[in-house]
Amino acid sequence: MRIKNICCIGAGYVGGPSMAIIAKYCPDIQVNVVDINPQRIAQWNDKLLSNLPIYEPGLDKIIQKCRNKNLHFSNNIKQQIENADMIFISVNTPTKLKGIGAGQAIDLRYVEASSREISKYAKGHTIVVEKSTLPVKTAQTIKDILDATTKKNISDNKTFSVLSNPEFLAEGTAIKDLENPDRVLIGGEDRIAIDALVEIYSKWIDKNKVMTTDLWSSELSKLIANAFLAQRISSINTISALCEATGAQIKDVALAVGMDKRIGRYFLNSGPGFGGSCFKKDISNLVYISNHYGLFEVANYWQKVLDINSWQQERFVELIVKKMFGTISSKTIAILGFSFKANTNDTRESPAIYISKKLIEEGAFLKIYDPKVTNQQIELDLQVDNQKNLNKNWIFCESIYDVFEKADAAVFITEWQEFEHLDWLKISNIMIKPSWIFDTRSIVNIEKVKESNLNIWQVGYGY
Ligand code: UDX
Ligand code: ADP
């Protein structure tokens, strides 16, 4: 089966970049990305590439090359579903906020809505590929909805094959990850559908890297990959506290440990805890499933990975207050970086949100700078909580040096590259004395900071 028309439902951090790459490497395929959000689609279609809804290095060049040729963005969901031979579902899968499984289970309402639209508008045979970031028995839900319609309208001649094809891209390196993935995983039962998807990927990826399995194993593998990655971060973060208490240096410890091939050197950077749309959500779901199957020890084990993540952020706030003579009330604190990691404008589950809210609750006034996150996004993230109007207690700074002006302390939360090369003498001259630098990512040049008459604390270093 040769695919000519692809539709992707959901023009977000997964749908946008992954479809851009398919369009780039498969010029014979028309790729239509649709979304219910008209503003998001308008941003994808904006002539000014700096206005794209997501910041991802290298993405703008591909959009420029393929947009309106074989890559299209629209709100025309019905028509694009009708035209498609293959439909990717890339909608959001947040954690349930209320009801059974609140705080742990996945809210499948958007996946369900998309499946219903597909069942309504699709024509002929359609391959439905589940790509959404959190897939846990989601493919079965999609299958059930599609099967129900097929059975009901036998005269329609509609048929569906459902595949799971979890996306392993990390934000900030999405284009690199998509162009050169460690593996492509495809779960499903229909060999013809699997081969059609393999054919697409083989346009730029070695077929040896494509692994096929059943639906549920594919979905679970994605969940477990994220759980293992998050577990490494919690592990190294516990050791950062031990290093601070004992005087060892976390970077050297991580390097020495990671040089063992069995452990590996990646993903061992201690910091303010993991953020992003996946890790917390995936592990919460793993805890939920394990409890569901009566595997309470398994659930408790993974719950600890989440607990350590929160603890790391809580201890940072306590430490900041303690170092600043036990109070930050009426003091000004600069926040450097608001996205959950460098090279993205995404703030979902960003450690900066928790840390900023807590500092404001303690009475501080914040000056916030991030090279890619907008003022409006920060406003949404710091919105009124428990009737306390947090918005009054912070301002957004457009320029990096403004953020230090008359600040008592500066907290580095995201590892943006521009933070590594700052004029510390200039900063020292504009901050209030005694001034503190809290580096939660160990990225600043400690010698230069000390030479500039500033106090410094770095994660994982005891002085
Ligand atoms: C993650 C997975 O890496 C990706 O495979 C999956 O598809 C989606 O979830 P993402 O959340 O975009 O990707 O970014 P990632 O690079 O994994 O970082 C997640 C969080 O962990 C960030 O907050 C990052 O700062 C933090 N992190 C990462 C560390 O604190 N230390 C590290 O060594 C690595
Ligand atoms: P992810 O990081 O998983 O890509 P995002 O939140 O960035 O998540 O993107 C998901 C996108 O899916 C959003 O732009 C949202 O508007 C869109 N979406 C959700 N439900 C539907 C639906 N039923 N039809 C079309 N688009 C949808």
Side-chain angles (χ1 to χ4, degrees):
M1 182 178 178
R2 263 199 71 221
I3 303 299
K4 293 198 191 77
N5 282 296
I6 285 179
C7 169
C8 172
I9 307 181
Y13 284 89
V14 173
S18 47
M19 291 305 118
I21 293 290
I22 292 183
K24 177 178 168 186
Y25 288 100
C26 307
D28 298 341
I29 299 180
Q30 286 296 316
V31 181
N32 285 284
V33 187
V34 295
D35 203 289
I36 32 171
N37 181 342
Q39 197 199 340
R40 201 160 229 199
I41 291 298
Q43 285 176 291
W44 278 111
N45 284 324
D46 202 308
K47 280 203 181 78
L48 211 60
L49 289 166
S50 56
N51 286 344
L52 293 180
I54 70 175
Y55 172 70
E56 193 58 64
L59 176 64
D60 49 355
K61 284 204 182 74
I62 303 174
I63 298 294
Q64 190 173 31
K65 183 169 175 252
C66 303
R67 194 172 56 186
N68 300 329
K69 293 188 183 103
N70 68 329
L71 177 64
H72 314 272
F73 296 91
S74 79
N75 297 113
N76 205 342
I77 299 174
K78 176 177 180 287
Q79 192 195 332
Q80 298 313 337
I81 290 178
E82 274 175 9
N83 291 346
D85 322 300
M86 184 177 269
I87 301 176
F88 287 85
I89 302 183
S90 293
V91 298
N92 29 337
T93 46
T95 304
K96 270 182 93 171
L97 293 177
K98 51 186 179 186
I100 299 168
Q104 288 186 329
I106 297 311
D107 186 345
L108 284 182
R109 79 172 84 168
Y110 304 106
V111 172
E112 206 183 312
S114 313
S115 309
R116 288 185 195 284
E117 306 227 288
I118 296 171
S119 70
K120 200 149 105 200
Y121 302 127
K123 290 195 169 151
H125 184 67
T126 312
I127 300 171
V128 178
V129 186
E130 171 211 26
K131 217 173 205 358
S132 286
T133 323
L134 205 121
V136 175
K137 296 231 164 166
T138 315
Q140 192 55 48
T141 308
I142 299 170
K143 244 168 143 265
D144 290 347
I145 293 172
L146 298 177
D147 284 352
T149 12
T150 327
K151 278 187 200 123
K152 205 169 123 208
N153 305 314
I154 295 164
S155 56
D156 274 3
N157 260 346
K158 287 184 198 198
T159 49
F160 298 99
S161 291
V162 178
L163 300 178
S164 153
N165 174 218
E167 187 44 70
F168 292 98
L169 69 81
E171 288 174 30
T173 51
I175 300 304
K176 209 169 95 258
D177 298 342
L178 285 161
E179 293 198 313
N180 189 20
D182 289 343
R183 77 312 212 174
V184 170
L185 185 57
I186 302 175
E189 288 139 19
D190 176 355
R191 199 64 242 177
I192 296 173
I194 294 175
D195 286 347
L197 189 54
V198 172
E199 205 43 47
I200 292 175
Y201 283 117
S202 67
K203 293 282 186 296
W204 75 97
I205 296 163
D206 188 332
K207 274 192 183 163
N208 293 328
K209 280 189 175 179
V210 183
M211 176 183 162
T212 56
T213 179
D214 62 274
L215 279 176
W216 173 226
S217 299
S218 163
E219 292 179 326
L220 190 62
S221 304
K222 161 76 192 220
L223 188 74
I224 303 308
N226 277 349
F228 272 50
L229 289 168
Q231 181 206 40
R232 278 171 80 89
I233 301 168
S234 279
S235 296
I236 200 71
N237 283 344
T238 62
I239 306 308
S240 71
L242 193 60
C243 288
E244 287 159 32
T246 58
Q249 304 188 33
I250 191 67
K251 278 201 176 150
D252 288 352
V253 173
L255 186 66
V257 169
M259 280 170 87
D260 185 326
K261 278 205 280 297
R262 293 168 301 174
I263 298 171
R265 64 195 166 97
Y266 298 107
F267 248 74
L268 283 178
N269 294 320
S270 63
F274 52 78
S277 71
C278 288
F279 286 175
K280 188 175 168 196
K281 186 173 70 170
D282 287 13
I283 298 184
S284 300
N285 203 41
L286 182 56
V287 171
Y288 182 73
I289 302 169
S290 304
N291 275 326
H292 173 81
Y293 288 105
L295 300 168
F296 305 118
E297 284 75 12
V298 179
N300 293 344
Y301 175 79
W302 288 104
Q303 179 60 46
K304 268 285 163 226
V305 173
L306 290 177
D307 294 347
I308 290 294
N309 202 52
S310 308
W311 171 77
Q312 182 82 337
Q313 288 163 28
E314 286 156 19
R315 82 178 182 92
F316 283 1
V317 172
E318 278 170 26
L319 187 139
I320 292 168
V321 175
K322 202 165 145 207
K323 295 262 186 217
M324 295 179 76
F325 309 118
T327 178
I328 53 171
S329 180
S330 307
K331 289 180 182 162
T332 300
I333 299 183
I335 299 290
L336 286 107
F338 208 81
S339 55
F340 79 96
K341 63 184 280 198
N343 291 321
T344 178
N345 59 344
D346 194 352
T347 62
R348 287 177 290 180
E349 299 293 341
S350 175
I353 300 174
Y354 174 84
I355 294 173
S356 299
K357 282 185 174 178
K358 282 288 163 192
L359 294 176
I360 291 172
E361 267 176 42
E362 287 286 331
F365 179 80
L366 304 187
K367 295 176 88 177
I368 304 176
Y369 171 80
D370 187 287
K372 291 292 170 195
V373 179
T374 60
N375 187 2
Q376 292 88 322
Q377 184 57 49
I378 298 174
E379 216 157 293
L380 284 173
D381 291 329
L382 295 184
Q383 242 170 19
V384 186
D385 234 20
N386 305 329
Q387 258 92 66
K388 290 177 210 122
N389 190 352
L390 299 180
N391 285 340
K392 285 184 186 148
N393 297 320
W394 65 275
I395 52 161
F396 179 74
C397 294
E398 298 280 353
S399 119
I400 182 146
Y401 287 101
D402 280 356
V403 86
F404 295 100
E405 184 85 42
K406 294 198 171 59
D408 297 88
V411 187
F412 287 78
I413 303 183
T414 315
E415 74 287 21
W416 285 103
Q417 213 185 347
E418 68 178 277
F419 299 163
E420 290 171 28
H421 311 284
L422 295 172
D423 182 343
W424 286 105
L425 267 180
K426 178 174 172 179
I427 290 169
S428 180
N429 285 335
I430 55 179
M431 286 183 79
I432 291 176
K433 292 285 172 319
S435 3
W436 269 99
I437 304 299
F438 297 98
D439 178 7
T440 73
R441 298 267 187 182
S442 338
I443 45 159
V444 304
N445 183 326
I446 188 152
E447 297 311 323
K448 289 220 167 106
V449 175
K450 278 186 182 165
E451 279 165 19
S452 309
N453 193 22
L454 296 158
N455 298 304
I456 177 151
W457 171 89
Q458 270 187 322
V459 65
Y461 290 85
Y463 303 107

